[in-house]
Amino acid sequence: LYRKIKALTGLTANELIRKIRLERAKELLEQAGQVSVSEVSYNVGFSSPSYFSKCFKEYFGMLPKEAGEE
């Protein structure tokens, strides 16, 4: 399964799941202006808001709170 995912997407299974979670988090932050970054991070499956922010910044090039302001 892991080799098939890597062959189809070019990403490992963990990277693919993280990508899907981060894209969903960005949608949630853009839709709801009153939702905190911590709430969104827990809702998409991250156990640590600080790790979520680090991953979000690496993937999108901006902080999660900046995505909510757009």
Side-chain angles (χ1 to χ4, degrees):
L1 177 66
Y2 289 100
R3 283 182 282 172
K4 190 69 166 177
I5 291 172
K6 178 75 172 178
L8 291 173
T9 65
L11 302 170
T12 65
N14 289 339
E15 291 169 340
L16 179 63
I17 292 169
R18 186 177 309 121
K19 176 186 170 200
I20 293 167
R21 287 178 174 174
L22 289 171
E23 289 174 358
R24 176 67 180 140
K26 187 173 183 195
E27 289 175 13
L28 291 173
L29 288 167
E30 289 172 346
Q31 289 174 358
Q34 299 294 338
V35 180
S36 72
V37 173
S38 295
E39 287 179 56
V40 170
S41 70
Y42 292 126
N43 286 340
V44 296
F46 284 85
S47 59
S48 168
S50 61
Y51 179 65
F52 167 73
S53 294
K54 177 183 172 259
C55 291
F56 195 94
K57 179 152 173 83
E58 286 177 9
Y59 188 74
F60 291 112
M62 65 179 153
L63 294 172
K65 66 179 183 178
E66 294 171 352
E69 294 171 355
E70 291 180 352

